[in-house]
């Protein structure tokens, strides 16, 4: 090895801090198959980061040959940030240019990209879990679903079985023979998804596996596949990983002690069997814990010894300080919550930590969270609720939810998730909604005539002529409630506004499913069904707004233990460790299966005590400096016994105890440190911010929706048709025949009916053929279509898709297509082209020309792409990025207000 290379390798291994020997062994391993057992807080992200940096800078591996899977997008951003930072420091800016060609993200995101780029799914949209349930509630009536007492229960049971079958890869032939009714429902459901061009998360993986088995060389360029959190993958994902890595190396990292997602298919057996499915596997253990103080590491090790199926080496504390672990034993759940609130006030008042440095982790937020929410509200402790019931725990969401339910004559709202008979109906919904809104925003009085105004809103909505879509109806409610008087710069108001944006997403999820195929709004029917969607599913599935804007609010975080995976806090409280709550009383309960139980490992899905212990272990290991585990004696005046986790699995006599009248010792907590992760922005997002920063905040940060239209997707359809046509032309087709064929086969409007789609399709074909005739020479010059770019800019990444790259005598021409549903000015279009040009120039392309093609009228506008133009565009983009990071979201009222989708809820709109 050359001296310069040796010096660089030493820097990678030792800066900004030296790796442990086990971490170095992992980074330096040259084995094709490597399995890393990395305990909690062992620095696995840092190990993976340096492994990738070593591949890039020392082994000279092209970024496009590396794929890294993380469990969440947040983890991907963290890893990407570290890689960009190290590569820039050690290799210079020029080494960062091509890092965008490396994929770092979730398995689902990679599958969607794979299907889109290689297997003709470019015109498809994706459904997350909530959107899929809305879709299934609509189309499930035709699937002959069984197993529950109601349609919504039947749908949830079907989805549970569906996800299991996808995860376990149970063959169709077996299902057809052993579970024929379920098999028929499954095939019908997949037909509905295909007809409406929708992909669900688990089906993406199934399709990716099938296509790669048929065309195994599609990903032959991948030389290194790195997989984090491998203990949480399922059998289908395992098969996908083997197919992706068949021509290269596979490097996996995981900790079977933290396998906590078995109920949705995670299989620690994949981690354990990695050495039997792959030859000559090298297994390494990283046992150093860098996160937690000694006492926390010690109690975590002690608890891990209670596992009955797996035992691994104890973790070793790297930190020298002892920290603190305490056992709280309180009279009741109320006194427990009051005591914790007191300690939070003390620690924050003494400057030991901020509210955001504190986590309260629960087995179930729905059962243990309400008392904390009530106490924290009364004590004015800022908090954010996690878990799947978080959104509907907020008063502002209760208010708008009840008003939506009030619209339908059959509307209702469950007061308790456990008692479906305890509901509000009729005008009680209106009255309670107003009480909830006053509770959420007591400082902003409602209008004296608000009841009359809401009555008018209800009448206008249900007549069916006042509003074009759910979003317009929803924004009318917000206006009547005084939304425009909220102050987005007030942290408490910002949380409320963000959560109201999240509720708007719920409405869009439901409306999207119901309007696919061009179905018109039927307000009475739709509001009735929306009521059922909220009460039967949404209340237990929608979380609070989780955007960066809300996470960065200084607030205590109340969340489930499942949700806490991968996170850490200076001070952690684990309350309600009582029998029946943790471990859960529902452990091992039989679920309703539509597939014979012997066809899969049913215990993983129904839970056992080992799974509950692993969940407890995850909770213990989230704490950095101070951990308080607590229990109580009574609940609603009924005696509760201490959890067996404390009685049997921990030596509670050795843990310092605290009672109701005691105070938590005042310890010094380690500073959290500010991490400035690299954020990713699309060129379109930056253009939006330049148009109006407040509009950007409403849409990109808080999730407010623009509203559905039957023409939604028109631009996407034209772009996809032009992409297909360009690919056909490379095979010898003429531009006109290629365009005509692409439109005939692929033009699709998800929300237009058959007649409307046919009419618009015919018009689109005429316009694209006209464009092709008038610009035939340009069509023949096409080199690439929909080229992805990603490049660094000011501690951020700019990403986008270049519609067309064309050969030019002097270099290349970059062209962006625009359609009538894209409301942008010429200057905004030029900004986007110049940002694409800057990225391609950094990759060594010679940019000769830029242009914007307007497909509607076949016109083309040239864009100057000289060096000065690109520098100015880059400077403007940098200013926008800095503005977003500094949270500068001031409104830019003016001409853009006339075309803004959010004018009615913007106090500055003109």
């Amino acid at each position: 090895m050359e001296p310069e290379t040796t010096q660089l390798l030493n820097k990678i291994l030792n800066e900004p801090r030296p790796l442990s020997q086990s971490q170095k062994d992992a980074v330096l391993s040259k084995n094709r198959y490597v399995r890393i057992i990395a305990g909690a807080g062992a620095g696995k992200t840092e190990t993976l980061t340096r492994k990738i940096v070593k591949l890039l800078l020392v082994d000279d591996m092209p970024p496009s040959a590396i794929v890294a899977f993380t469990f969440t997008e947040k983890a991907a951003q963290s890893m990407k940030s570290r890689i960009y930072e190290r590569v820039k420091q050690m290799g210079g800016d020029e080494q960062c240019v091509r890092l965008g060609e490396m994929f770092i993200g979730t398995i689902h995101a990679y599958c969607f990209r794979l299907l889109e780029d290689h297997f003709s799914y470019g015109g498809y949209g994706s459904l997350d879990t909530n959107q899929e349930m809305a879709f299934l509630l609509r189309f499930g009536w035709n699937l002959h679903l069984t197993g529950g007492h109601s349609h919504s229960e039947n749908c949830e049971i079907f989805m549970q079985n569906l996800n299991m079958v996808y995860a376990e890869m149970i063959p169709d032939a077996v299902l057809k023979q052993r579970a024929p009714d379920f098999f028929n429902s499954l095939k019908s459901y997949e037909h509905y998804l295909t007809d409406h061009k929708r992909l669900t998360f688990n089906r993406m993986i199934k399709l990716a596996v099938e296509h790669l088995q048929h065309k195994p060389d599609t990903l032959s360029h991948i030389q290194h596949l790195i997989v984090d959190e491998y203990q949480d993958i399922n059998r289908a994902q395992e098969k996908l990983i083997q197919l992706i890595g068949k021509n290269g190396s596979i490097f996996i990292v995981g900790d079977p002690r933290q396998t906590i997602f078995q109920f949705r298919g995670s299989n620690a057996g994949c981690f354990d069997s990695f050495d039997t499915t792959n030859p000559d596997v090298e297994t390494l253990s990283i046992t150093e814990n860098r996160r937690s103080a000694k006492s926390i590491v010690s109690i975590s090790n002690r608890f891990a010894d209670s596992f009955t199926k797996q035992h691994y080496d104890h973790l070793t504390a790297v930190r020298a300080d002892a920290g603190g672990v305490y056992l709280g034993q309180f009279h009741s759940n109320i006194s427990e919550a009051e005591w914790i609130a007191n300690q939070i006030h003390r620690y924050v008042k003494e400057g030991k930590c901020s509210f955001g440095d504190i986590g309260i982790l629960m087995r179930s937020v729905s059962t243990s969270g309400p008392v904390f929410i009530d106490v924290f509200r009364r004590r004015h402790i800022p908090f954010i609720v996690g878990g799947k019931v978080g959104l509907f725990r907020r008063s502002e969401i209760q208010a708008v939810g009840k008003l939506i339910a009030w619209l339908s004559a059959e509307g209702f709202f469950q007061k308790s998730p456990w008692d479906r008979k305890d509901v509000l109906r009729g005008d009680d919904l209106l009255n309670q909604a107003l009480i909830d809104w006053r509770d959420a925003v007591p400082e902003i009085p409602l209008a004296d005539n608000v009841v009359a105004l809401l009555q008018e809103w209800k009448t206008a909505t249900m007549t069916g002529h006042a509003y074009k879509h759910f979003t317009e109806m929803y924004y009318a409610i917000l206006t009547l409630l005084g939304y425009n008087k909220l102050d987005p710069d007030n942290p408490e108001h910002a949380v409320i506004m963000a959560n109201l944006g999240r509720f708007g997403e719920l409405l869009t999820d439901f409306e999207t499913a119901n309007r696919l195929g061009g179905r018109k709004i039927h307000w009475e029917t739709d509001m009735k069904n929306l009521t059922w969607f909220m009460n039967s599913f949404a209340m237990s599935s929608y979380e609070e707004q989780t955007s960066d804007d809300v996470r960065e609010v200084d607030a205590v975080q109340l969340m489930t233990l499942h949700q806490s995976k991968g996170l850490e806090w200076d001070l952690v409280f684990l309350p309600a460790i009582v029998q029946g709550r943790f471990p859960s009383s529902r452990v091992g309960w039989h679920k309703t299966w539509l597939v014979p139980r012997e066809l899969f490992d049913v215990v993983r899905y129904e839970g056992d005590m080992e799974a509950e212990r692993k969940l407890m272990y995850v909770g213990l290991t989230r704490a950095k400096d101070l951990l308080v585990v607590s229990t109580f004696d009574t609940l609603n005046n009924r005696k509760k016994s201490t959890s067996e986790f404390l009685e049997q699995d921990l030596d509670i006599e050795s843990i310092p105890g605290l009672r109701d009248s005691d105070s938590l010792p005042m310890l010094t907590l380690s500073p959290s440190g500010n991490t400035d992760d690299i954020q990713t922005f699309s060129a379109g997002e930056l253009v939006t911010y330049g148009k109006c920063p407040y509009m950007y905040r409403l849409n990109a940060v808080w999730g407010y929706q623009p509203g559905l239209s039957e023409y939604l997707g028109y631009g996407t359809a034209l772009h996809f048709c032009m992409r297909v046509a360009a690919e056909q032309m490379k095979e010898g087709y003429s531009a006109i025949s290629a365009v005509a064929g692409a439109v005939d086969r692929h033009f699709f409007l998800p929300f237009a009916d058959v007649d409307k789609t046919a009419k618009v399709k015919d018009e689109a074909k005429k316009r694209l053929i006209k464009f092709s005739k008038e610009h035939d020479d340009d069509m023949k010059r096409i080199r690439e279509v929909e080229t992805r770019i990603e490049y660094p800019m000011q501690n951020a990444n700019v990403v986008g898709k270049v519609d067309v790259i064309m050969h030019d005598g002097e270099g290349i021409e970059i062209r962006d297509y625009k359609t009538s549903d894209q409301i942008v000015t010429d200057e905004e279009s030029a900004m986007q082209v110049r940002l694409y040009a800057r990225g391609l120039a950094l990759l060594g392309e010679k940019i000769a020309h830029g242009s914007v093609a307007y497909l509607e009228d076949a016109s083309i506008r040239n864009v100057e792409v000289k060096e000065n133009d690109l520098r100015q565009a880059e400077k403007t983009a940098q200013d926008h990025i800095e503005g977003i990071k500094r949270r500068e979201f001031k409104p830019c009222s003016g001409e853009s207000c006339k075309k803004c989708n959010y004018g009615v809820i913007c106090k500055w709109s003109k």
Side-chain angles (χ1 to χ4, degrees):
M1 188 179 292
E2 295 292 328
E4 295 83 358
T5 306
T6 301
Q7 183 179 7
L8 179 59
L9 181 58
N10 285 332
K11 287 182 69 175
I12 292 171
L13 296 175
N14 294 290
E15 295 179 12
R17 62 163 179 78
L19 296 177
S20 68
Q21 188 55 53
S22 54
Q23 287 176 305
K24 290 179 179 177
D25 291 341
V27 172
L28 296 173
S29 176
K30 293 184 179 297
N31 270 44
R32 183 179 177 188
Y33 300 103
V34 179
R35 175 176 56 184
I36 307 295
I37 302 171
K44 62 184 178 61
T45 301
E46 187 66 21
T47 305
L48 293 174
T49 295
R50 301 211 202 179
K51 177 73 176 180
I52 293 172
V53 172
K54 187 251 182 186
L55 289 173
L56 292 167
L57 298 184
V58 176
D59 299 336
D60 201 27
M61 190 61 54
S64 59
I66 301 172
V67 170
F69 290 149
T70 57
F71 194 65
T72 64
E73 288 298 340
K74 186 176 186 298
Q77 287 295 99
S78 177
M79 186 185 296
K80 189 179 291 188
S81 293
R82 298 190 200 192
I83 292 169
Y84 271 73
E85 181 183 2
R86 306 291 165 70
V87 170
K88 184 175 182 178
Q89 288 174 350
M90 298 178 186
D93 288 341
E94 64 278 5
Q95 292 283 353
C96 292
V97 171
R98 292 191 175 272
L99 290 184
E101 298 172 6
M102 172 176 56
F103 180 88
I104 301 176
T106 65
I107 290 178
H108 295 114
Y110 187 78
C111 283
F112 190 67
R113 176 181 292 195
L114 176 70
L115 293 170
E116 188 177 46
D117 288 355
H118 298 284
F119 300 114
S120 301
Y121 287 85
Y124 277 65
S126 64
L127 298 176
D128 64 21
T129 301
N130 293 334
Q131 294 162 344
E132 183 179 6
M133 180 54 70
F135 183 92
L136 185 54
L137 284 168
R138 175 185 171 186
F139 293 102
W141 295 105
N142 302 321
L143 302 181
H144 307 293
L145 303 181
T146 60
H149 300 291
S150 66
H151 176 60
S152 58
E153 286 183 10
N154 287 340
C155 289
E156 290 198 61
I157 289 168
F158 177 74
M159 186 184 286
Q160 167 188 291
N161 281 262
L162 180 74
N163 291 335
M164 178 276 294
V165 165
Y166 282 147
E168 301 298 327
M169 298 187 73
I170 299 178
D172 280 356
V174 173
L175 289 175
K176 189 173 183 179
Q177 181 182 15
R178 302 293 306 279
D181 291 339
F182 173 77
F183 174 76
N184 291 332
S185 298
L186 167 60
K187 289 302 155 185
S188 296
Y189 181 57
E190 289 182 339
H191 283 307
Y192 278 115
L193 289 169
T194 300
D195 286 345
H196 293 284
K197 294 187 182 292
R198 303 287 119 175
L199 290 170
T200 63
F201 284 173
N202 284 320
R203 193 173 181 226
M204 285 180 199
I205 294 173
K206 176 188 177 184
L207 290 170
V209 167
E210 290 174 352
H211 283 294
L212 287 176
Q213 286 176 325
H214 182 63
K215 294 184 177 180
D217 294 330
T218 302
L219 300 177
S220 57
H221 63 286
I222 303 300
Q223 298 181 53
H224 294 276
L225 175 60
I226 295 168
V227 187
D228 192 10
E229 303 288 5
Y230 197 86
Q231 79 281 349
D232 284 324
I233 69 164
N234 58 42
R235 288 299 182 190
Q237 293 167 338
E238 179 188 46
K239 180 63 177 177
L240 177 72
I241 287 165
Q242 293 294 323
L243 289 168
I244 296 171
K246 67 185 292 288
N247 296 312
S249 69
I250 303 178
F251 185 100
I252 70 166
V253 181
D255 183 6
R257 287 162 290 197
Q258 298 186 71
T259 309
I260 62 172
F261 295 102
Q262 303 97 315
F263 64 95
R264 63 187 192 200
S266 295
N267 190 343
C270 298
F271 189 89
D272 295 334
S273 64
F274 188 75
D275 58 347
T276 59
T277 55
N278 299 289
D280 303 321
V281 170
E282 180 180 12
T283 298
L284 301 169
S285 292
I286 303 175
T287 59
E288 299 86 2
N289 180 295
R290 299 176 180 276
R291 172 190 298 154
S292 305
K294 285 186 176 180
S295 59
I296 296 170
V297 174
S298 177
I299 196 173
S300 301
N301 285 333
R302 191 186 315 162
F303 189 79
D305 288 339
S306 69
F307 294 172
T308 58
K309 298 177 183 177
Q310 296 167 315
H311 292 280
Y312 293 91
D313 295 338
H314 275 187
L315 300 180
T316 303
V318 172
R319 292 174 52 184
D321 48 320
V325 177
Y326 296 91
L327 175 66
Q329 297 173 291
F330 305 109
H331 171 65
S332 69
N333 64 321
I334 297 174
S335 60
E336 177 186 54
E338 292 281 6
W339 184 88
I340 289 175
N342 287 337
Q343 309 320 307
I344 290 173
H345 269 305
R346 290 177 59 240
Y347 262 75
V348 173
K349 183 178 180 180
E350 291 296 321
K352 296 293 184 180
C353 65
S354 300
F355 290 113
D357 297 322
I358 301 170
I360 301 179
L361 312 182
M362 309 169 188
R363 178 61 180 85
S364 168
V365 172
S366 62
T367 54
S368 299
V371 64
F372 285 93
I373 292 170
D374 292 341
V375 169
F376 285 8
R377 279 178 177 161
R378 191 175 70 251
R379 302 285 294 274
H380 298 290
I381 294 175
F383 64 95
I384 295 173
V385 184
K388 288 189 173 182
V389 296
L391 187 65
F392 279 86
R393 290 291 174 188
R394 288 290 185 178
S395 294
E396 64 271 15
I397 303 305
Q398 292 268 327
V400 294
K402 287 165 187 171
L403 287 174
I404 294 288
W406 177 59
L407 286 172
S408 170
E410 299 182 45
F412 65 94
F413 200 91
Q414 266 182 234
K415 291 194 286 185
S416 166
W418 301 283
D419 186 355
R420 296 199 171 182
K421 295 181 180 179
D422 187 12
V423 298
L424 293 169
R425 297 181 186 276
D427 285 343
D428 288 343
L429 290 164
L430 169 63
N431 298 330
Q432 188 58 51
L434 296 178
I435 292 171
D436 290 334
W437 185 263
R438 290 186 182 102
D439 180 54
V441 199
E443 66 275 21
I444 299 179
L446 289 165
D448 292 339
N449 63 337
V450 67
V451 172
L453 292 173
L454 286 170
Q455 289 281 5
E456 291 176 8
W457 162 77
K458 178 178 181 178
T459 301
T461 299
M462 301 312 284
T463 56
H465 304 297
Y467 306 114
K468 297 189 295 292
H469 42 66
F470 286 16
T471 299
E472 194 174 28
M473 173 270 292
Y474 176 53
Y475 291 169
I477 304 179
L478 297 183
T479 304
L480 295 177
L481 292 174
Y483 176 92
N484 290 350
K485 296 178 183 178
L486 294 172
D487 178 7
D489 294 324
N490 176 325
E492 292 185 9
H493 287 190
V495 171
I496 290 170
M497 296 172 83
N499 284 331
L500 290 169
R502 181 74 171 126
F503 187 84
E505 293 181 56
L506 179 159
L507 295 179
T508 299
D509 288 347
F510 180 82
E511 185 180 10
T512 297
N514 279 272
R515 292 185 64 184
L516 285 169
R519 180 185 173 276
K520 306 297 183 185
I521 296 177
H522 304 288
W523 287 99
E524 180 58 47
T525 301
D526 289 348
M527 291 303 101
K528 172 186 171 182
N529 291 338
L530 177 57
T531 294
W532 278 98
F533 179 68
M534 285 194 297
N535 285 279
S536 65
F537 176 75
M539 282 187 185
S540 60
S541 298
Y542 277 82
E543 300 176 15
E544 275 199 65
Q545 180 63 265
T546 56
S547 69
D548 288 337
D549 194 77
V550 179
R551 278 201 302 267
E552 291 175 7
V553 172
D554 185 23
V556 176
Q557 297 181 65
L558 302 170
M559 65 174 62
T560 65
L561 286 155
H562 285 101
Q563 195 180 31
S564 74
K565 180 76 164 57
L567 304 177
E568 60 183 38
W569 293 268
D570 297 346
L571 169 54
V572 168
F573 293 95
L574 295 181
I577 312 299
V578 295
Q579 204 64 22
R581 287 214 170 162
F582 201 12
S584 169
S585 60
R586 297 179 65 87
V587 170
W589 278 26
H590 282 204
K591 297 180 179 180
T592 302
W593 298 107
L594 309 177
V595 174
R597 296 168 64 89
E598 62 269 20
L599 292 182
F600 62 103
D601 180 9
V602 72
V603 173
R604 277 194 293 110
Y605 289 87
E606 296 179 340
D608 59 10
M609 287 303 298
E610 189 80 341
E612 292 290 291
R613 287 191 177 91
K614 289 181 177 182
L615 194 55
M616 179 73 172
Y617 177 80
V618 165
L620 296 173
T621 55
R622 298 308 96 195
K624 292 168 61 181
D625 304 299
L626 185 52
L627 171 66
V628 180
V629 180
S630 59
T631 183
F632 49 78
D633 298 327
T634 62
L635 175 67
N636 298 327
N637 295 319
R638 294 182 179 179
K639 183 72 175 174
K640 297 296 292 185
S641 56
T642 301
S643 167
E644 63 188 82
F645 289 164
L646 299 181
E647 294 285 1
Q648 301 173 20
D649 300 330
L650 288 175
D651 181 11
I652 61 175
E653 298 301 323
S654 66
I655 304 174
L658 298 168
R659 297 286 182 175
D660 296 74
S661 59
D662 296 327
S663 294
L664 186 63
M666 195 62 68
L667 302 185
T668 299
L669 306 185
S670 59
S672 297
N674 294 321
T675 57
D676 187 16
D677 283 351
I678 287 177
Q679 294 175 264
T680 298
F681 302 97
S682 71
E685 281 183 289
L686 296 177
V687 168
T688 298
Y689 182 85
K691 186 193 298 281
C692 176
Y694 187 64
M695 178 170 64
Y696 174 90
R697 186 182 206 180
L698 286 171
N699 179 243
V701 180
W702 286 343
Y704 283 84
Q705 303 295 298
L708 291 186
S709 160
E710 60 186 350
Y711 293 102
L712 192 65
Y714 177 74
T716 300
L718 292 192
H719 278 68
F720 185 56
C721 289
M722 292 298 280
R723 171 184 175 173
V724 172
E727 292 168 348
Q728 290 285 299
M729 288 173 62
K730 291 179 181 179
E731 298 178 10
Y733 287 81
S734 70
I736 294 174
S737 63
V739 165
V743 173
D744 287 338
R745 292 191 305 275
H746 298 288
F747 185 86
F748 177 72
L749 291 178
F751 304 107
D753 60 26
V754 174
D755 292 339
K756 176 70 72 174
T757 297
K759 181 178 179 181
V760 177
K761 180 177 182 178
D762 184 59
E763 189 61 33
K765 184 194 291 188
K766 291 177 183 176
R767 289 176 176 173
L768 292 186
I769 288 175
K770 179 177 183 288
F771 180 90
S772 300
K773 284 180 178 178
E774 293 187 16
H775 305 287
D776 184 64
D777 290 342
D778 287 352
M779 297 291 287
K780 292 175 181 176
R781 292 191 294 118
I782 292 175
R783 190 186 83 181
E784 296 176 39
V785 292
E786 294 199 351
T787 302
R788 283 192 174 87
I789 62 165
E790 178 176 346
Y791 63 97
M793 180 189 291
Q794 191 133 338
N795 201 30
N797 291 331
V798 176
V799 300
K801 266 187 184 179
V802 184
D803 288 335
V804 175
I805 297 175
M806 298 186 294
H807 291 287
D808 190 282
E810 305 169 32
I812 63 170
E813 178 175 344
I814 298 169
R815 176 166 291 175
D816 198 36
Y817 290 143
K818 294 298 180 188
T819 56
S820 61
D821 66 343
Q822 298 165 319
I823 304 171
V824 292
T825 65
D826 288 345
E827 189 52 42
E828 289 162 354
S829 297
M831 169 79 172
Q832 203 159 334
V833 169
R834 287 167 183 152
L835 289 178
Y836 295 158
R838 171 54 78 197
L840 290 168
L842 289 172
L843 293 174
E845 296 280 8
K846 185 177 179 181
I847 313 299
H849 294 96
S851 58
V852 177
Y854 295 91
L855 298 176
E856 293 292 273
D857 61 6
S859 65
I860 292 178
R861 176 177 171 266
N862 291 326
V863 175
E864 291 291 340
V865 286
K866 294 174 181 166
E867 182 60 25
N868 285 341
D869 300 306
L870 302 191
R871 285 180 182 173
Q872 183 56 50
E874 184 173 23
K875 172 66 169 56
T876 301
Q878 288 174 343
D879 291 342
H880 293 347
I881 290 168
E882 280 303 303
I884 295 169
K885 288 187 173 183
R886 289 195 301 264
R887 323 195 70 68
E888 294 175 354
F889 298 117
K890 292 183 179 180
C892 185
S893 54
E895 283 300 311
S896 61
C897 289
K898 298 176 182 177
K899 300 177 181 178
C900 180
N901 293 306
Y902 313 105
V904 70
I905 57 169
C906 176
K907 65 172 69 178
W908 298 281
S909 178
K910 291 186 177 180

